[in-house]
Amino acid sequence: MEHLELFLKSIFIDNMVFATFLGMCSYLAVSKKVSTAVGLGAAVIFVLAITVPLNWLLDQYLLQPGALVWLGAEYAEYDLSFLSFIMFIATIATMVQLVEIVVEKFSPSLYNSLGIFLPLIAVNCAILGGSLFMQSREIPTLGLATVYGIGSGIGWFLAILSIAAIREKIRYSNVPAPLRGLGITFIITGLMAIGFMSFGGMLTGGDEEPQEEQKTVMPKEEINTTPSIENKKAEEKKENEKVLANNIKVNE
Amino acid sequence: MGLLSKKDSKLILDPLADNNPITIQVLGICSALAITAELEASIVMAISVLAVLAIGNVVISLMRNIIPSKIRIIVQLVVVAALVIIVDLILKAYSYQLSKTLSVFVGLIITNCIIMGRFEAFALANGPWRSFLDGIGNAAGYGLILVIVGFFRELLGSGTLLGIQVLGDPIEKTGLYALGYENNGFMLLSPMALIVVGMIIWVQRSRNKALIEDH
């Protein structure tokens, strides 16, 4: 149940593109045709499904404060967490190289159509973002980390697939000239993101969001608004910030 | 500018408008938009990217003749990652609250496409001084969009700028709020960042017809 919940959450509620804007560069650049979008989306799912659990292992047994305790009691004090960026990106770069070799071997046509964007998966924020969110949300088990990786990948795939389909059709519409191409894509993405926000209540029953998330982001604001808490405005403002906090997703 | 030749100052000024990294080259949107709900966070992000890009460009440019082209992506990633770790630690030391707000997005500077894009397109082929200027120019172009988006989102969304209430007090009903003005809480939500950037692109391309794409 826990796994299914995280799976759905990472696809719809915390969708990589619509909630956190990760992987926007390739999302915008490769979404002109559905077929290329499918290829890149599949590559992203694959890379995320491998790198997130790998980086989870690295984080758990190497980087976290006290993670080195399996080497012996004298290592319990070590905290290597400042190295996590470099370790994560190294894992990702290696894996991407591997995927590139495999794709070139088994599907040259896909390799040609992806062109420059296959190596660029290495610098796709969605991939590194997946690992960093995995770390900052403190996902507890390897199984959950794998589910999170796959779910986020599918969410990204869904996003790029739908924008590619829309862009193929929008060619026949009369878009104002200065908005053509990039501008309208941004606005459509914004509207799609608003649509995806409606998934927000899917798993909570639509009632309350977890409390502590909001506290970590806006303690300053809270102090300001507490004296007049009965005031409706203040509550509205807090409500907005709660949503904002959820979008930025800061966890201690 | 007496210090810079015409060609050099073009390196700085071009990315600010007609070759802007975000609105024209479509680079670096990834880590940019999620943090623009507040002006302060946008400014800090812009400065961090400026530092990383300018220094990184110089480092890569100095090493350009000794990097084997096959492993250049990994070399570039290591250089950026090292610089970003420094920025992250500085932020954590001097403004912990802000680094919590930016959360993973500081780390995501590593995969900011502007940085890799400039390394690939410029620093690998040019000397350190020109690369430095190019880095400053592009990061400034990126920062400019970030600050504009952050300005509008914070002003319209919470009626504040840098945390100071500029439109009056929404609870006491002073200033604009006395006239019945309401904050548009929608501006604080992430989708609005995209729509604001879309508007900026619209304005920019209406002013300069040469930039218009055909679908």
Side-chain angles (χ1 to χ4, degrees), chain A residues 138-167:
Chain A
E138 292 170 1
I139 288 182
T141 65
L142 183 63
L144 280 174
T146 318
V147 166
Y148 179 71
I150 297 174
S152 310
I154 294 178
W156 200 87
F157 179 80
L158 209 62
I160 195 169
L161 189 62
S162 31
I163 193 75
I166 292 175
R167 283 180 85 172

Side-chain angles (χ1 to χ4, degrees), chain B residues 119-141:
Chain B
F119 284 2
E120 283 280 301
F122 202 90
L124 279 176
N126 287 283
W129 173 239
R130 281 169 61 78
S131 302
F132 178 71
L133 294 178
D134 179 77
I136 301 260
N138 276 284

Side-chain angles (χ1 to χ4, degrees), chain A residues 44-76:
Chain A
V44 166
I45 297 182
F46 184 60
V47 175
L48 266 175
I50 296 171
T51 53
V52 173
L54 259 180
N55 282 336
W56 185 86
L57 288 173
L58 270 180
D59 187 45
Q60 210 68 15
Y61 294 107
L62 199 64
L63 298 171
Q64 274 182 5
L68 286 173
V69 78
W70 55 273
L71 277 178
E74 70 270 30
Y75 294 101

Side-chain angles (χ1 to χ4, degrees), chain B residues 112-198:
Chain B
N112 192 320
C113 328
I114 290 184
I115 294 182
M116 295 298 278
R118 290 331 290 171
F119 284 2
E120 283 280 301
F122 202 90
L124 279 176
N126 287 283
W129 173 239
R130 281 169 61 78
S131 302
F132 178 71
L133 294 178
D134 179 77
I136 301 260
N138 276 284
Y142 165 89
L144 185 70
I145 300 291
L146 234 66
V147 169
I148 295 176
V149 177
F151 175 83
F152 281 113
R153 285 183 73 192
E154 189 176 347
L155 183 69
L156 301 176
S158 32
T160 58
L161 282 178
L162 295 170
I164 302 160
Q165 289 179 325
V166 288
L167 298 180
D169 195 325
I171 299 162
E172 312 264 304
K173 298 264 179 229
T174 58
L176 260 185
Y177 296 98
L179 304 171
Y181 174 81
E182 296 271 349
N183 280 331
N184 182 1
F186 211 54
M187 292 301 280
L188 294 175
L189 304 178
S190 47
M192 287 312 287
L194 285 165
I195 295 179
V196 172
V197 174

Side-chain angles (χ1 to χ4, degrees), chain A residues 108-244:
Chain A
S109 64
L110 180 63
Y111 182 79
N112 288 333
S113 64
L114 288 179
I116 186 176
F117 285 100
L118 207 52
L120 279 185
I121 289 186
V123 287
N124 188 328
C125 334
I127 311 287
L128 181 63
S131 292
L132 289 176
F133 273 124
M134 174 274 298
Q135 189 190 33
S136 79
R137 287 176 193 171
E138 292 170 1
I139 288 182
T141 65
L142 183 63
L144 280 174
T146 318
V147 166
Y148 179 71
I150 297 174
S152 310
I154 294 178
W156 200 87
F157 179 80
L158 209 62
I160 195 169
L161 189 62
S162 31
I163 193 75
I166 292 175
R167 283 180 85 172
E168 276 196 357
K169 292 280 175 262
I170 212 162
R171 218 165 292 159
Y172 307 110
S173 323
N174 188 15
V175 179
L179 268 182
R180 263 176 217 157
L182 193 55
I184 196 71
T185 313
F186 266 103
I187 292 177
I188 293 171
T189 311
L191 295 176
M192 284 163 78
I194 295 172
F196 263 71
M197 277 163 56
S198 56
F199 287 117
M202 193 166 71
L203 296 177
T204 55
D207 296 320
E208 268 187 66
E209 309 283 342
Q211 280 291 307
E212 71 265 349
E213 284 193 359
Q214 155 206 5
K215 273 182 196 156
T216 53
V217 183
M218 299 283 172
K220 199 169 63 186
E221 288 298 322
E222 254 181 31
I223 296 162
N224 288 345
T225 48
T226 29
S228 49
I229 197 80
E230 64 279 359
N231 191 308
K232 208 179 152 218
K233 275 284 156 42
E235 270 195 38
E236 247 175 50
K237 199 177 169 197
K238 251 182 115 179
E239 199 66 45
N240 291 333
E241 263 146 21
K242 201 190 271 181
V243 182
L244 173 72

Side-chain angles (χ1 to χ4, degrees), chain B residues 71 74 79 175 186 213:
Chain B
I71 58 157
I74 294 182
V79 170
F186 211 54
E213 316 168 33

